[in-house]
Amino acid sequence: MISKESKLNLRLQDRKFPFTYIDHDREIARGIVFDEEKNFYFVRIHRDDSFGKATLIETSGGGVEKGESLETAIKRELKEELGAEVEILREIGIVSDYYNHVHRHNINHYFLCKVRSFGEKNLMPYEIRDFHMETLKLSYEEAIKEYEKCSNTKLGRLIAQREVPVLEEVKKMLLIN
Protein backbone atom coordinates (compact mmCIF):
# COMPACT_ATOMS: atom_id res chain seq x y z
CA MET A 1 0.00 0.00 0.00
CA ILE A 2 1.35 3.43 -0.92
CA SER A 3 0.42 6.50 1.07
CA LYS A 4 -0.31 9.80 -0.72
CA GLU A 5 1.78 12.42 1.08
CA SER A 6 3.24 15.72 -0.03
CA LYS A 7 6.42 15.72 -2.07
CA LEU A 8 9.84 15.90 -0.46
CA ASN A 9 11.78 19.11 -1.13
CA LEU A 10 15.27 19.29 0.39
CA ARG A 11 18.07 21.81 -0.16
CA LEU A 12 21.46 20.56 1.00
CA GLN A 13 24.90 22.16 1.13
CA ASP A 14 28.26 20.52 0.50
CA ARG A 15 30.25 20.96 3.71
CA LYS A 16 32.74 18.22 2.80
CA PHE A 17 34.63 19.99 0.01
CA PRO A 18 35.61 23.68 0.01
CA PHE A 19 33.37 26.04 -1.95
CA THR A 20 34.98 28.11 -4.71
CA TYR A 21 32.23 28.56 -7.30
CA ILE A 22 29.35 26.72 -9.02
CA ASP A 23 29.39 26.88 -12.81
CA HIS A 24 26.60 24.52 -13.83
CA ASP A 25 23.34 22.84 -12.85
CA ARG A 26 22.63 19.19 -13.62
CA GLU A 27 19.07 17.82 -13.83
CA ILE A 28 19.13 14.23 -12.58
CA ALA A 29 16.38 11.58 -12.51
CA ARG A 30 16.81 8.98 -9.74
CA GLY A 31 14.75 5.93 -8.86
CA ILE A 32 14.01 4.25 -5.58
CA VAL A 33 13.35 0.83 -7.07
CA PHE A 34 11.61 -1.96 -5.16
CA ASP A 35 9.98 -5.33 -5.83
CA GLU A 36 6.96 -7.27 -4.48
CA GLU A 37 8.90 -8.36 -1.36
CA LYS A 38 9.97 -4.73 -0.67
CA ASN A 39 13.58 -5.39 -1.60
CA PHE A 40 15.33 -2.29 -2.92
CA TYR A 41 17.78 -2.08 -5.82
CA PHE A 42 20.83 0.18 -5.85
CA VAL A 43 24.15 0.43 -7.63
CA ARG A 44 27.50 -0.11 -5.97
CA ILE A 45 30.21 2.07 -7.41
CA HIS A 46 33.96 1.67 -6.99
CA ARG A 47 35.66 5.02 -7.62
CA ASP A 48 39.26 6.12 -7.74
CA ASP A 49 39.18 9.64 -9.17
CA SER A 50 39.47 13.28 -8.14
CA PHE A 51 36.88 12.65 -5.36
CA GLY A 52 39.23 10.01 -3.94
CA LYS A 53 39.16 6.25 -3.65
CA ALA A 54 35.82 4.90 -2.41
CA THR A 55 33.24 2.14 -2.64
CA LEU A 56 29.76 3.63 -2.52
CA ILE A 57 26.07 2.80 -2.67
CA GLU A 58 23.76 5.05 -4.68
CA THR A 59 20.30 5.04 -6.17
CA SER A 60 20.23 4.34 -9.86
CA GLY A 61 19.77 7.33 -12.12
CA GLY A 62 21.55 9.96 -14.11
CA GLY A 63 21.44 13.08 -16.17
CA VAL A 64 18.33 14.12 -18.05
CA GLU A 65 19.17 14.56 -21.73
CA LYS A 66 18.13 17.65 -23.67
CA GLY A 67 14.46 17.37 -24.70
CA GLU A 68 13.89 14.30 -22.49
CA SER A 69 11.09 14.19 -19.91
CA LEU A 70 11.92 13.17 -16.34
CA GLU A 71 9.80 10.03 -16.72
CA THR A 72 11.60 9.00 -19.91
CA ALA A 73 14.97 9.72 -18.30
CA ILE A 74 14.31 7.61 -15.21
CA LYS A 75 13.04 4.67 -17.25
CA ARG A 76 16.09 4.89 -19.54
CA GLU A 77 18.54 5.16 -16.62
CA LEU A 78 17.00 2.23 -14.72
CA LYS A 79 17.14 0.07 -17.86
CA GLU A 80 20.77 1.04 -18.50
CA GLU A 81 22.08 0.66 -14.93
CA LEU A 82 19.89 -2.09 -13.44
CA GLY A 83 18.42 -3.76 -16.53
CA ALA A 84 15.03 -3.00 -14.95
CA GLU A 85 11.71 -2.30 -16.63
CA VAL A 86 9.68 -0.37 -14.05
CA GLU A 87 6.33 1.16 -13.32
CA ILE A 88 6.68 4.71 -11.98
CA LEU A 89 4.31 4.88 -9.01
CA ARG A 90 4.86 8.48 -8.01
CA GLU A 91 7.30 11.33 -7.75
CA ILE A 92 8.93 11.37 -4.32
CA GLY A 93 10.32 14.86 -4.61
CA ILE A 94 13.41 16.93 -5.30
CA VAL A 95 16.71 17.07 -3.48
CA SER A 96 18.89 20.00 -4.45
CA ASP A 97 22.52 19.45 -3.52
CA TYR A 98 25.99 20.63 -4.47
CA TYR A 99 29.24 18.98 -5.43
CA ASN A 100 31.65 21.83 -4.71
CA HIS A 101 34.58 19.70 -5.88
CA VAL A 102 33.28 19.74 -9.48
CA HIS A 103 31.52 23.13 -9.21
CA ARG A 104 28.08 21.58 -9.78
CA HIS A 105 24.56 22.08 -8.45
CA ASN A 106 22.49 18.86 -8.72
CA ILE A 107 18.72 18.94 -9.01
CA ASN A 108 17.79 15.34 -8.15
CA HIS A 109 14.25 14.30 -9.09
CA TYR A 110 13.38 11.12 -7.17
CA PHE A 111 10.73 8.64 -8.30
CA LEU A 112 9.28 5.59 -6.57
CA CYS A 113 9.45 2.75 -9.07
CA LYS A 114 8.23 -0.84 -8.88
CA VAL A 115 10.11 -3.50 -10.83
CA ARG A 116 8.17 -5.20 -13.60
CA SER A 117 11.08 -7.26 -14.92
CA PHE A 118 14.85 -7.46 -15.21
CA GLY A 119 16.84 -7.90 -18.40
CA GLU A 120 20.18 -6.88 -19.84
CA LYS A 121 21.94 -3.78 -18.55
CA ASN A 122 23.25 -1.24 -21.03
CA LEU A 123 26.02 0.53 -19.12
CA MET A 124 28.01 3.28 -20.77
CA PRO A 125 31.70 2.44 -21.37
CA TYR A 126 32.83 5.00 -18.76
CA GLU A 127 30.45 3.45 -16.16
CA ILE A 128 32.10 0.08 -16.69
CA ARG A 129 35.66 1.44 -16.87
CA ASP A 130 35.53 4.17 -14.20
CA PHE A 131 32.87 3.00 -11.75
CA HIS A 132 32.75 -0.84 -12.02
CA MET A 133 29.00 -0.63 -11.32
CA GLU A 134 27.17 -3.58 -9.82
CA THR A 135 23.57 -4.09 -8.68
CA LEU A 136 22.70 -4.43 -4.99
CA LYS A 137 19.44 -5.98 -3.76
CA LEU A 138 18.83 -4.93 -0.13
CA SER A 139 16.11 -4.66 2.48
CA TYR A 140 15.41 -1.19 3.82
CA GLU A 141 17.48 -1.88 6.96
CA GLU A 142 20.38 -3.29 4.94
CA ALA A 143 20.35 -0.21 2.69
CA ILE A 144 20.53 2.18 5.65
CA LYS A 145 23.46 0.19 7.10
CA GLU A 146 25.19 0.24 3.70
CA TYR A 147 24.88 4.05 3.47
CA GLU A 148 26.33 4.32 6.99
CA LYS A 149 29.20 2.01 6.06
CA CYS A 150 29.98 3.97 2.87
CA SER A 151 29.96 7.30 4.71
CA ASN A 152 33.64 6.90 5.57
CA THR A 153 34.60 9.18 2.64
CA LYS A 154 33.64 12.78 1.82
CA LEU A 155 31.70 11.72 -1.29
CA GLY A 156 30.03 8.86 0.60
CA ARG A 157 28.81 11.32 3.25
CA LEU A 158 27.44 13.66 0.54
CA ILE A 159 25.55 10.80 -1.10
CA ALA A 160 24.17 9.51 2.22
CA GLN A 161 23.13 13.05 3.21
CA ARG A 162 21.07 13.19 0.00
CA GLU A 163 19.67 9.67 -0.13
CA VAL A 164 18.92 8.55 3.44
CA PRO A 165 16.15 11.19 3.87
CA VAL A 166 14.61 9.99 0.59
CA LEU A 167 14.67 6.38 1.81
CA GLU A 168 13.08 7.47 5.09
CA GLU A 169 10.22 9.06 3.08
CA VAL A 170 9.84 5.86 1.05
CA LYS A 171 9.66 3.84 4.26
CA LYS A 172 6.63 5.93 5.27
CA MET A 173 5.10 5.71 1.77
CA LEU A 174 5.36 1.93 1.64
CA LEU A 175 4.39 1.57 5.30
CA ILE A 176 7.49 -0.48 6.11
CA ASN A 177 7.79 -1.38 9.81
Side-chain angles (χ1 to χ4, degrees), residues 136-161:
L136 292 177
K137 176 182 173 181
L138 303 169
S139 69
Y140 173 82
E141 294 79 17
E142 291 168 331
I144 296 297
K145 286 179 186 172
E146 194 66 27
Y147 277 105
E148 289 170 5
K149 185 174 100 180
C150 293
S151 290
N152 61 346
T153 65
K154 290 179 182 180
L155 183 58
R157 285 189 294 276
L158 283 177
I159 293 170
Q161 170 184 276

Side-chain angles (χ1 to χ4, degrees), residues 18 41 70 125 147 170:
Y41 295 84
L70 291 171
Y147 277 105
V170 168

